[in-house]
Amino acid sequence: MPRRQLINFLQHLAEPDYRDFAARLIPGETRLLGVRLPALRKLARQYAAGDWRQLLATPVAADASFEEILLRAMLPAYAADTPLSERLRYLQQEQPNLNNWSLCDSACATCRFVRNHRDDVDPWLEPFLHSEKEFTARFGIVMLNHYYATDARWTPHVIHALREVPQDAYYAAMAVAWCACTLLTSRIDLRDDVGMELLAPGYLPEHTRKLLLKKLRESQKKWSNDKIY
């Protein structure tokens, strides 16, 4: 389908009231049309069943909406009959366009195919995890959070990755705190050596550690003060 047709579909699905609501949650985002995520996912699945490569053959347009950018990133995830290497190649192509937390996190949440290919996807994620770019690093950590952090076999690897990610930028540090919180509330006892190490001053940068403690307090777990320093 040509891009003009996609734009028409997106404009038809747009809800101005929802756009105004969503815009308040994403600071600085001015490209929103107001398409709800379930409707956008449905449209992405329809495109993924056709010649989706045609849409990704050209770079994202300068006037692309938030929803068009996200749909493009969803296509490799929904293209079920596509070889893993090709899906990852297209996903890597689209990742630089995911330049806010919402685009990044929604795209990552769509990549459920990773669950069946953790060993193969892990080396591909490494450059993202070591990137100095805020949302590139966030992309790598959010992928770990969704598809690795709750798998006990990957716990040591994820813990090591959390410390290695550059965390000067807020949204990268927030992703590290989120992922560490997932580990601590699902697979690790705060009282064991690994839990104590993650929470100990100096293991993570102090600003990230404070974000982690805040996430833990918000997790509805009743941690006592002596357990979380």
Side-chain angles (χ1 to χ4, degrees):
M1 298 182 192
R3 179 175 178 250
R4 182 69 253 172
Q5 189 173 14
L6 170 61
I7 293 173
N8 289 338
F9 285 149
L10 292 173
Q11 290 175 341
H12 177 73
L13 293 169
E15 301 178 36
D17 289 345
Y18 180 71
R19 177 197 62 210
D20 295 343
F21 165 76
R24 292 194 292 271
L25 304 177
I26 314 171
E29 178 56 74
T30 61
R31 301 164 295 180
L32 281 160
L33 296 175
V35 180
R36 294 179 184 270
L37 192 54
L40 188 64
R41 290 193 184 283
K42 182 177 180 180
L43 184 59
R45 289 189 185 97
Q46 293 171 356
Y47 267 77
D51 187 12
W52 56 274
R53 296 173 183 83
Q54 179 184 356
L55 184 61
L56 301 188
T58 56
V60 66
D63 63 346
S65 66
F66 172 99
E67 288 84 355
E68 181 182 346
I69 292 168
L70 180 51
L71 181 140
R72 285 174 60 109
M74 288 176 170
L75 292 177
Y78 285 136
D81 295 330
T82 305
L84 176 64
S85 59
E86 188 177 10
R87 295 169 93 166
L88 295 179
R89 177 165 57 84
Y90 278 109
L91 189 57
Q92 186 157 3
Q93 171 188 298
E94 298 304 310
Q95 188 281 321
N97 303 318
L98 307 176
N99 56 4
N100 64 50
W101 71 264
S102 184
L103 286 170
C104 176
D105 296 6
S106 296
C108 290
T110 308
C111 296
R112 297 180 181 178
F113 68 90
V114 173
R115 291 194 184 107
N116 297 322
H117 301 281
R118 289 186 178 100
D119 290 311
D120 293 319
V121 174
D122 177 57
W124 177 79
L125 283 175
E126 283 297 316
F128 298 97
L129 297 170
H130 291 92
S131 176
E132 297 286 346
K133 296 180 179 179
E134 182 172 17
F135 292 103
T136 302
R138 183 179 176 93
F139 177 87
I141 285 294
V142 175
M143 291 287 275
L144 287 184
N145 187 47
H146 278 298
Y147 306 113
Y148 294 81
T150 57
D151 184 332
R153 184 168 68 94
W154 288 92
T155 296
H157 175 71
V158 175
I159 291 172
H160 176 74
L162 295 183
R163 195 173 192 182
E164 296 298 312
V165 174
Q167 296 170 44
D168 292 337
Y170 174 78
Y171 285 104
M174 194 65 201
V176 170
W178 178 19
C179 190
C181 184
T182 298
L183 287 168
L184 290 166
T185 57
S186 62
R187 290 287 179 182
I188 297 173
D189 189 323
L190 281 177
R191 294 164 294 185
D192 69 18
D193 290 343
V194 175
M196 296 294 281
E197 183 179 26
L198 264 176
L199 289 167
Y203 187 80
L204 296 173
E206 186 59 21
H207 65 281
T208 304
R209 180 174 172 272
K210 289 179 179 178
L211 290 171
L212 169 57
L213 295 177
K214 183 173 184 290
K215 293 288 288 183
L216 286 170
R217 293 188 184 101
E218 293 169 351
S219 69
Q220 298 183 356
K221 300 284 184 176
K222 296 187 182 298
W223 310 117
S224 63
N225 289 334
D226 60 329
K227 289 182 182 176
I228 62 171
Y229 294 85

